[in-house]
Structure formats: structure tokens, C-alpha cells
Amino acid sequence: MRNAYLDQFPDEARVIKAAFWSSFIALAIGGVLGLVQALHRTDVFRFIQSPDYYTVLTAHGVLLVIVFTIFFLVGTFTWAVTTSLDRGVVDTRFTWAWYIMMVIGAALAGITIFSGFLESAPSILGSELNADVLFTFYAPLEAHPFFYIGLVVFVVGSWLAGVDWFRTWLAWRRENPDERIPLPTFMVLTTTLFWYICTLGVSLSILVFLLPWSLGITESVNPLLTRTMFWYFGHAVVYFWLMPAYLMWYTMLPKFSGGKLFSDPLARVVFVLFLLLSTPLGIHHQYLDPGIAEGYKFIAMTNTMFLLLPSLLTAFTVVASMEHGARQRGGEGYLGWLKALPWRDPIFTGMALAGLMFAAAGFSGMINAGMNINYLVHNTWWVVGHFHLTVGTAVALTFMAASYWFIPQLTGKELWNRSVALGQVVLWFIGMTFMTNAMHRSGLFGLPRRTAEPQYQGFDFEPAVGTVGEINMQVALGAVILTLSLALFLLNMVMTSIGSNSESIPDNTYADTLSGAEDSPRILDNLKLWTAIAVVLVIIAYTLPLASIIDAGGLFGPDIEGFRLSTWVDPAVIESLSEVIR
Amino acid sequence: MVSRPYYLLIRMSSGTEQREPDHVRTLGHEEYDPIGTAILIGIYFLILVLLWIFMYFVEFLGNGPTVVGMALTVVGLA
Amino acid sequence: MNIHTYEKVWIVASMVLIVGFIATITYGAVGPGIAMIDDDGGDINPDEINDDERFAEPGVEHVGGNEYEVTVVAQAWSYTPSEIEIPANSEVTFYVTSRDVTHSFSVVGTNVNTMVVPGQVSEMTAKFDEPDEYGILCNEYCGEYHHTMEGKLNVVPEDEFDLTELSVEADDEIDAGNETTITANVTNGMQEDLETTVSLEIGNQTQEEDVTVPGDGSEEVAFTVDSADLDEGDNDWTVTVDDYEESGTLSVVTPEGNESADGGDGDA
């Protein structure tokens, strides 16, 4: 008798499937826009005007790091909670409600961004519909109010998703008062808690400052204040989208390797550390900002560096779990066991390669975390290389590999083609290797990020090794390979979904543990305690910097009005403008 | 899939109660020695240390001019 | 808790790594003296940049010794001044602010790199030992022509650097038989006195005068020119101070009727 997720929780399976498809649509659009940018920046093929590059970049960023990742996350977390608690959500109507709310928010923000391509965007609420402000929307760059409203609606939807998981857990707790929280649910709950803490910053920034300002209700903003509130959220969000990947590595990858999770207690410690330290370090994105004293930057660095610990622990636990699987499969020797891993399985291989890339990302992240070395790499293409290894590979490749497991579980249909899937994950790895090594290297000689045409009139870049042309070629080639890989992934998803039902779907289970929850102290499950400490750490890290920013520039800044930059410009104006500029 | 002798099929406890046809043995927490992991993680450690030194002392400090404090400013380390 | 020995070793190694990283950064701050951009620059209202003591006239100023101050105003999509010249072997403090949105001021191929946030002044000091030419670029998205925002920083050999300015006032024409004065105004932006020679070439004559221009001051040198020494018609003149020169033409005309004998008084 088949016992896939669909058979256990048919109602939940439908919501999760919807969330995954929302995620895939964002991935498809955002990914293709990535190719457009790579070809434009490197001057390999330019078919849009450079001002439109920034509309493309805004859409690429928002669609991939917010919409793609978080839709996949809510699907994964709903699966993890229901599977590990072995009970459905309390009320699927509530689950659909938050899902639909997130869709509305994403659509509103998306439409606002995309109307930036129109020659004359419609005017709504007294201003033109566009949002060429990039993912970071630093004031005084100003977007249409719909952009901010869309983001807030999306985030509130994700808050309600968290409420759903907590409700389900509390319902389970009443039925099982003495049991330890199952590990997948523990991971979901700790992640949700730091999501609540960190999104408070960006929500306040939007609701109190940016939205009223874009509607003309308030006159001015304090750019450093809204920027600091963005980064209060902006680094925690990267752990937020990383956590479902971690969840898969801890709870599924050992199983796919043929083994068990090495240590449940350490997995709990890791997630507690993420809850504690994810937020009070956002200032490390502002190492080169004026108006923030060096001491606060040093505190942010210390917290950031200590947050390496859970990731380094994860590296050990996950590899040890894989080795356990390999040895159970007959692997021998110091390193010979690596050959015994199921490398022909796209799910295993995708996640293992994602983990390998994350190890490399760990290194560039350490550089980014180092306070004064930030002068070398800040806002260069190095940083873009770094997060294409993290969110672009560790997260995205894990999600794609996990989809090869999830979609059959959710549809009851067998994966269309395992060989295509294996080729797809390997292509992604190769494409990212080309692209990110070139990006990292280019940062070392100062090639800037977020720039449509990094070709300047008055000077040339001087790479110590290689040439700018060779770097551009690697990035363009990498982007083409990645787009091909993306197309194969989507093809596999579509073909699987329109395929016929299969009885041979594996059971919906997650990995067992070698050292289980019974080995871990009960205090680890005390979520109230850890949340309280996390809040205290945030207060310590942020009170003084925020106070001094408000003290210097005021809550609403010194009469700083917005700059609404519509990117469609009359070509004649472009000509005369670029004359003036040169 | 390689088929294994039946006597090697072992029912796993709790979470993963399903057949694992590729298994040739079952290792518990006591019998399992993750020496391969220790080697790999040791190599990773060395790479991190060497690359860090290279990045900081060659790439960064060699990339001057660099922003420095005024002559008498005490460097603030809160 | 049941933690494997290898894993305990790895936890210790991880902590060593983390502490080692923090120690390296601290060494960078204390040893080579690397300082972070901080709140020393203070804040400023972007609407009042033009009235600000420091930013009203952005550019290079000599503080004394080998210390210089460079003030820069960033705005979409240019820097003022767009080209900066400083001497080698100098210690330069940059003050950068923005008139509109967030920019950066990044000297390409160096570790001189700061965000420029409206409302804030970014202050940073760097030493430039060797002559070189650097590009400056904005690496924070600042609107649709962000990619065109660039500048230059030229570090010239010490002996080729000065902050001397020369301006000359001279008549365009004089009546034959009259005298006129060509006045050179030499401004010295350096804090030390400038000892130099101002020379005027006109016709086939050369006049020279040694001057000492005080630090952060200016000096006027007046050359008297007699039309008797000049040819009828146009006479080209050139005033030279060090590497600076300014030229013009003085016409000697024969007065007609009651016309005023004065020439024009345009600057060359």
C-alpha cells in the first residue's frame, strides 16, 4: 500500500503543491532575467537599454530571494511540521488563507516592478506605477506605494504561516505532553521565531516611514535609519531562506545517503544558535556606512563570526551522516567510502553538490564578515559571487533536488526522468562554478556590483591574474549553462505533473538518528527561553546605534524628499544626458 | 539497483521503517567511526586558514592605500 | 549529550578559527591602523550643502605638512570635483556627502571605499605614497545612469604638485604713447610660503619679478608696459608662474578724435 505524503495528508498536499508552483514560477522568471543581466553586463549581448537593466535587476532580486525562496520555504515547513508531528494542520482553510495572502503580496510587488518596462506606466494613487529600487529599496530612492504594500502583505502572509505551524504544534503538544519536539518541527519553530524578530524591523521601516512617505503623508525620511532597519532584517532573511536547505540536509540527506543523522542534539544546538544570532549582526552589511560608530560595527562582526559556528558544526554533522550512509552501503577506507555514495541519485547528488558549494561560500562569507577587510570587497562583484553560492546554489540547488523528491510525494506521480534530473543538478554546479569564481576574482580588483555597464571612460580595471574579458566570458558562459539547467528542471517538473499516477512512490519518511533527541538536554526545547535571550541580544546590538542615528538625523531626516526614478526615458533625453555626464 | 542477500536486509527503527536494499551492514553510534569526515573537515580547515591568510595579508593589506585612523586616534574596539 | 570525540575536536577547532579571524581583524585595526568609516564626519542637511563651510567649494585643500583635505559632493551621476589631484607622500582626508540618493565613493584598486548616504558626511583618511592614477566609481545603485558615475584621482610626484593659481588682469588695447599695467594675481593654496618668479613676456621684452606668496594667501604683481616698447597693432603677452601661464593680446592703437584714451578692461 502506497504511503506517500499525498496519501497521508491530501489536503495539505494541495496547498504545498501550490506553494511550490508559485516558487517555480518565480524561479523561472527570475532565472531568465538573470541571463539577461549576465549578457548585458558583460557586453556579450545587449538588447535592452541600460536604464532598464535596473528594472530587470530589481525583478531578479525580489523574485528570487524573496518570492522563490519563501514560497518554497512555507511549502517545506508545512510538510516538515505535518510529517514529523504525524498530524495535519489544524484548519486547511487558514493554510489556504495565508498562502493566498502571500500570492497577492507577491503579485502586487511584481506587477509594480514590471510596469517599470512600460513606456508610460499607469498612474495610480497620484504616481506612476514602478519600483526601480532594487531588492534593498534604499531611501531616498522611492517606489510606488504598491511595491511597499505588496512586500508587507507578503510578509504578513508568512507570519500567518508561522502561526499555522505553531498552532499545529500546540495541538500536537496537548496530545503528546511529554514528548520531545520532533527535530523537523523544532527546526521550523526556531526559524519562525527569528523570522518574527527580524521582519519586525523591515515592517516598521515600511509602515512607519517608507509607505507614508511614498503616499505623500510624510515629507521626509532618514535614509540611514531606514537603511539600518532594512539590514536589521536583511541578514536574518538569508538565514531564513537557508534554513529549509539545512532542514533538508539534516533530515533528508542522511536518508538519501543510506544512513542516519549523526547527531540530533547538535542539530538542535545549531538551530538555537541561529535563533539567537541571526538578527543582532545586520550592521555587518553597513561596515562602510558613515554615521555608525566603529564599536557597533565590531559588535556586529563578533556576532557574525560566532554565527559561523552552527554552520561549521553543520558541515561536520552532515558529512558524518553521509559517511555513515556510505559505510552502511559497503564503503571502505579513509576516503574510499565517497565512492559508495549514491551519486546516480539526482536528489542526493544535488544536495551534496549544494553542500560543497556552501563550503566554498562559507569562505567568502568569512571575508565578508571581517570588518576592515570589507574595504576590499564591499559592493564589488565578489559579494554577488558569494550569494550566488549561498542562495543561488546551497539553497536553490537543494530546493531543486528536494523537488525531485517532493513533487512525486505531493502528486503521487513518478519523476519523469531521473537522468535528466541528474544532468540538471550537475549542470547547475558547473554553471555556478564558472560564474561565481569569476565574480569573486573580479571583486578583488574592484569591479562593482549592480552596474549595467561596468565599462568606464576614464580608467581600466587591472586584474592581477587573468583579464576582464576572460572573467566576463566565464560569467556569460556560466549564465547560459544555468539557464539550460533551469529549463531542464522546469521541464521535469511539468512532465512529472502531467504524468500518470504511480504506485511505486516511496513512503513519506525522514531520516532516523544515530544519537537521538533522548541524548539532548530538555532545555534545548525551551523556546521561550531562547526567544527571550534572542530579544535581549537584539536590544544590546541595536539600541545604541539606532539611538545615535535618530539623535543625529531625526526620525524623519532633514527634509529628504524622494527620488522617483522611472527608467523609461526618451532616447533623445538619454543622448543629451550622457553628453552632459561625460 | 544492486540486489543484496536477504540476510542483510535489516528493518530500521522508528522514522525510516523501510527496506534499504543497498545496505551491506548496519552501524550503530558506538561502532561508527567518522574518520573520513574528520579527514575531509581537517582539509577544509587548512584551506580556510591558508586562504584567510592569503586574502588578508596579500590581497587586502597589499591593496593599499587603505583607510587609516588619524595619527593620535585610539582605535575604537568597543 | 553524546558528542563524538572528532566532533568535540572540530568544535574546538571552529572556535579557534573564529577567534583567529577576530584577532586578525583586530590586528589590522591596531597594527597597520586601519580605521572604519564611522560617525566622525557628522551629519548635514542635503539642501544646505551649498551653504556649508566645507562643501560650498569642494576640492583639495592643504592642511599643513603633508596633510590634505579633499571635499567631494556626489550626486546622480557625477562627483564634484570629477578629477582630484594630490601629491605623492601625502595623508589625505576625504569628506564626501550626497546631494540626493545613496552613492559610494570607491577608489578603484585600493581599499579607499565608502558609502555616501544623504544626510551623512563620510570622513576617511588614507596615505598615498606613490604617484599613480586611480579611477573613482560609484558602486551603489543611484538611478538609471548609475553606471556612468565616475571620477579620477591623480597622485602626482611631490615636486610637481602645488595649489598655485594664476589670474591676470590686463587691458585689451592702449593708445599709442600711453602706459598700461598688466596685473598678475598669484594665489597659494599651500600653507607654506611660495617663493617664485612671475614673468611677463610681451613683444620681444621680458620682465621678471621675484615674489613670496604667503601660505594660504595671494600676492599681486603689477608690470608696467609702455606702448613705446611695442609695435603698432596686436602684441601677444604671456604671464608665467612656475608651470602656469596665461596669455592675451594687447593692441596699440592710434587715438582718433576725442575718443577716450582708455582701453577696454577685459580679462584675458
Side-chain angles (χ1 to χ4, degrees):
Chain A
M1 163 101 192
R2 194 179 74 173
N3 197 20
Y5 187 79
L6 175 70
D7 308 309
Q8 298 170 329
F9 305 105
D11 294 339
E12 286 81 357
R14 270 192 289 279
V15 194
I16 297 173
K17 201 167 63 180
F20 281 168
W21 275 104
S22 307
S23 158
F24 296 159
I25 290 168
L27 177 64
I29 302 171
V32 169
L33 295 178
L35 178 67
V36 174
Q37 287 167 75
L39 298 179
H40 189 95
R41 250 194 81 113
T42 55
D43 202 10
V44 171
F45 180 51
R46 286 180 175 163
F47 63 95
I48 54 168
Q49 288 195 337
S50 284
D52 281 339
Y53 176 91
Y54 302 106
T55 311
V56 172
L57 180 52
T58 306
H60 177 75
V62 172
L63 284 177
L64 291 183
V65 303
I66 298 289
V67 184
F68 158 63
T69 51
I70 297 181
F71 268 121
F72 200 91
L73 177 145
V74 294
T76 307
F77 278 12
T78 305
W79 165 84
V81 167
T82 49
T83 298
S84 65
L85 298 179
D86 199 19
R87 60 158 295 149
V89 296
V90 177
D91 184 348
T92 31
R93 284 173 304 179
F94 183 70
T95 312
W96 278 110
W98 58 250
Y99 165 72
I100 289 167
M101 199 168 169
M102 288 174 68
V103 171
I104 292 171
L108 196 58
I111 290 167
T112 310
I113 296 168
F114 276 99
S115 68
F117 289 118
L118 298 176
E119 284 191 19
S120 52
S123 189
I124 302 172
L125 291 174
S127 60
E128 242 183 52
L129 195 65
N130 64 42
D132 301 313
V133 292
L134 306 194
F135 155 66
T136 45
F137 53 89
Y138 294 138
L141 290 176
E142 192 179 29
H144 188 275
F146 279 6
F147 175 76
Y148 302 115
I149 294 171
L151 289 184
V152 167
V153 170
F154 185 84
V155 167
V156 172
S158 74
W159 286 352
L160 296 180
V163 170
D164 204 6
W165 304 321
F166 266 95
R167 262 177 104 187
T168 307
W169 168 64
L170 288 171
W172 173 88
R173 174 54 84 207
R174 281 190 291 275
E175 296 153 12
N176 304 277
D178 298 319
E179 289 222 23
R180 296 299 295 266
I181 307 173
L183 185 60
T185 300
F186 181 84
M187 293 172 163
V188 169
L189 298 182
T190 45
T191 305
T192 305
L193 285 170
F194 81 66
W195 180 243
Y196 286 139
I197 294 174
C198 76
T199 44
L200 199 64
V202 75
S203 307
L204 283 178
S205 168
I206 289 178
L207 292 176
V208 178
F209 301 112
L210 298 177
L211 185 59
W213 171 69
S214 73
L215 287 166
I217 297 169
T218 52
E219 299 274 295
S220 168
V221 288
N222 181 340
L224 187 60
L225 179 62
T226 49
R227 185 180 162 83
T228 306
M229 290 173 87
F230 177 85
W231 283 117
Y232 169 94
F233 144 89
H235 197 78
V237 71
V238 318
Y239 294 116
F240 187 57
W241 65 54
L242 187 61
M243 288 306 105
Y246 268 47
L247 188 144
M248 298 308 291
W249 295 348
Y250 274 107
T251 66
M252 297 304 284
L253 187 55
K255 190 181 83 158
F256 296 129
S257 314
K260 297 182 181 182
L261 174 61
F262 190 57
S263 172
D264 169 295
L266 278 179
R268 282 174 208 258
V269 169
V270 163
F271 275 76
V272 166
L273 285 171
F274 277 115
L275 166 56
L276 295 182
L277 292 175
S278 283
T279 311
L281 43 64
I283 288 177
H284 79 223
H285 286 258
Q286 299 176 279
Y287 282 151
L288 302 196
D289 277 17
I292 300 176
E294 182 161 355
Y296 305 140
K297 295 178 177 176
F298 194 87
I299 291 172
M301 173 180 72
T302 311
N303 288 344
T304 311
M305 288 295 188
F306 277 97
L307 201 46
L308 285 173
L309 186 64
S311 287
L312 293 170
L313 289 180
T314 299
F316 189 96
T317 309
V318 171
V319 176
S321 308
M322 282 163 52
E323 184 182 353
H324 180 248
R327 294 206 185 275
Q328 291 203 136
R329 291 164 60 93
E332 298 289 349
Y334 287 126
L335 293 174
W337 54 271
L338 286 167
K339 288 181 298 202
L341 287 166
W343 293 109
R344 304 202 67 79
D345 176 7
I347 308 172
F348 168 82
T349 302
M351 289 190 191
L353 293 178
L356 181 61
M357 287 300 234
F358 193 60
F363 171 71
S364 56
M366 290 161 194
I367 299 298
N368 296 342
M371 185 173 67
N372 43 37
I373 197 175
N374 202 240
Y375 281 121
L376 175 65
V377 294
H378 184 81
N379 269 359
T380 67
W381 230 7
W382 165 284
V383 178
V384 183
H386 168 72
F387 63 67
H388 278 81
L389 285 178
T390 55
V391 66
T393 310
V395 173
L397 186 53
T398 300
F399 286 2
M400 289 189 280
S403 301
Y404 294 138
W405 191 80
F406 276 132
I407 295 301
Q409 287 292 323
L410 297 170
T411 58
K413 295 167 180 177
E414 208 159 353
L415 185 65
W416 173 63
N417 191 318
R418 284 172 69 87
S419 305
V420 168
L422 185 61
Q424 185 267 321
V425 297
V426 173
L427 277 180
W428 193 271
F429 179 80
I430 295 171
M432 272 304 174
T433 305
F434 278 117
M435 198 165 97
T436 54
N437 95 80
M439 284 175 165
H440 276 101
R441 283 174 45 217
S442 72
L444 299 181
F445 57 82
L447 202 65
R449 67 186 284 198
R450 294 185 154 182
T451 300
E453 297 177 32
Q455 292 90 23
Y456 292 87
Q457 308 288 320
F459 61 92
D460 293 315
F461 293 99
E462 290 162 10
V465 180
T467 65
V468 175
E470 157 259 328
I471 278 168
N472 282 339
M473 281 308 124
Q474 287 203 54
V475 171
L477 175 65
V480 169
I481 296 173
L482 286 165
T483 310
L484 176 65
S485 172
L486 175 61
L488 293 176
F489 170 74
L490 295 168
L491 175 71
N492 224 335
M493 289 295 104
V494 171
M495 296 306 285
T496 303
S497 297
I498 62 175
S500 53
N501 274 312
S502 162
E503 280 306 307
S504 59
I505 306 295
D507 291 354
N508 176 42
T509 58
Y510 59 95
D512 202 352
T513 53
L514 276 171
S515 167
E518 64 282 1
D519 291 334
S520 69
R522 280 205 166 251
I523 194 166
L524 282 174
D525 288 12
N526 189 338
L527 298 177
K528 281 181 191 149
L529 171 70
W530 303 123
T531 308
I533 299 176
V535 169
V536 169
L537 288 175
V538 165
I539 291 170
I540 292 173
Y542 268 102
T543 308
L544 290 175
L546 285 177
S548 79
I549 290 167
I550 293 168
D551 185 46
L555 270 177
F556 293 94
D559 194 20
I560 292 180
E561 70 268 28
F563 291 84
R564 201 61 81 76
L565 300 155
S566 76
T567 54
W568 193 86
V569 188
D570 187 64
V573 177
I574 295 174
E575 256 335 287
S576 57
L577 260 176
S578 42
E579 284 309 309
V580 172
I581 290 156
R582 268 154 209 172
Chain B
M1 292 287 211
V2 186
S3 61
R4 299 282 178 194
Y6 275 112
Y7 62 86
L8 287 173
L9 292 180
I10 287 138
R11 280 188 74 81
M12 315 288 284
S13 61
S14 68
T16 51
E17 285 202 61
Q18 63 190 84
R19 291 178 299 135
E20 298 282 355
D22 287 346
H23 281 187
V24 299
R25 64 171 87 92
T26 300
L27 290 170
H29 193 266
E30 303 312 314
E31 306 128 292
Y32 170 48
D33 182 40
I35 182 69
T37 302
I39 293 170
L40 288 179
I41 214 95
I43 295 170
Y44 184 52
F45 182 84
L46 281 180
I47 292 174
L48 289 181
V49 169
L50 292 176
L51 274 179
W52 173 266
I53 291 169
F54 172 76
M55 281 293 294
Y56 201 89
F57 293 96
V58 180
E59 288 288 346
F60 174 52
L61 293 184
N63 194 45
T66 299
V67 177
V68 289
M70 305 293 260
L72 285 171
T73 310
V74 177
V75 179
L77 298 176
Chain C
M1 296 234 306
N2 192 349
I3 302 175
H4 195 281
T5 318
Y6 297 156
E7 200 152 23
K8 284 179 190 153
V9 172
W10 176 237
I11 292 173
V12 172
S14 299
M15 293 304 286
V16 168
L17 206 58
I18 289 167
V19 173
F21 290 159
I22 297 174
T24 319
I25 302 297
T26 310
Y27 159 77
V30 198
I34 302 162
M36 299 311 293
I37 307 290
D38 58 14
D39 52 356
D40 283 352
D43 46 308
I44 185 171
N45 183 336
D47 290 341
E48 289 161 16
I49 286 176
N50 290 349
D51 307 322
D52 186 82
E53 201 182 324
R54 178 171 278 145
F55 288 100
E57 283 183 53
V60 182
E61 269 193 50
H62 185 222
V63 181
N66 64 346
E67 288 179 31
Y68 296 81
E69 281 185 4
V70 178
T71 44
V72 179
V73 177
Q75 69 185 94
W77 298 283
S78 63
Y79 298 101
T80 312
S82 63
E83 196 153 350
I84 300 165
E85 188 178 281
I86 50 165
N89 193 27
S90 60
E91 187 176 301
V92 180
T93 302
F94 295 90
Y95 295 90
V96 195
T97 194
S98 164
R99 214 181 271 286
D100 41 40
V101 296
T102 303
H103 300 279
S104 92
F105 178 86
S106 306
V107 182
V108 179
T110 75
N111 299 325
V112 177
N113 188 358
T114 182
M115 300 304 301
V116 184
V117 181
Q120 305 289 327
V121 177
S122 305
E123 178 189 327
M124 57 181 174
T125 302
K127 292 193 174 94
F128 293 86
D129 296 334
E130 301 293 329
D132 208 335
E133 284 188 19
Y134 300 103
I136 298 168
L137 60 77
C138 173
N139 65 21
E140 185 54 79
Y141 167 64
C142 57
E144 54 263 58
Y145 289 96
H146 159 57
H147 46 275
T148 60
M149 187 161 170
E150 62 174 292
K152 285 221 73 177
L153 175 67
N154 297 328
V155 185
V156 300
E158 241 180 313
D159 53 2
E160 290 173 24
F161 182 82
D162 56 51
L163 287 171
T164 307
E165 279 172 43
L166 168 68
S167 65
V168 180
E169 267 185 56
D171 292 334
D172 287 340
E173 57 178 48
I174 54 168
D175 290 339
N178 281 5
E179 284 184 354
T180 185
T181 309
I182 294 181
T183 312
N185 191 311
V186 183
T187 312
N188 175 19
M190 304 294 283
Q191 295 299 323
E192 295 88 23
D193 293 352
L194 172 72
E195 283 179 23
T196 185
T197 306
V198 185
S199 62
L200 168 72
E201 278 180 60
I202 186 160
N204 48 12
Q205 290 192 324
T206 302
Q207 302 184 34
E208 285 194 349
E209 191 170 328
D210 292 338
V211 288
T212 302
V213 189
D216 200 16
S218 61
E219 198 64 36
E220 274 192 358
V221 178
F223 295 103
T224 305
V225 178
D226 189 342
S227 62
D229 300 331
L230 303 174
D231 299 329
E232 182 93 0
D234 289 350
N235 292 272
D236 292 336
W237 57 259
T238 302
V239 176
T240 311
V241 179
D242 297 332
D243 293 335
Y244 300 87
E245 59 174 44
E246 198 166 328
S247 307
T249 308
L250 181 67
S251 303
V252 180
V253 295
T254 311
E256 289 172 26
N258 294 332
E259 261 184 63
S260 158
D262 289 346
D265 61 344
D267 284 354

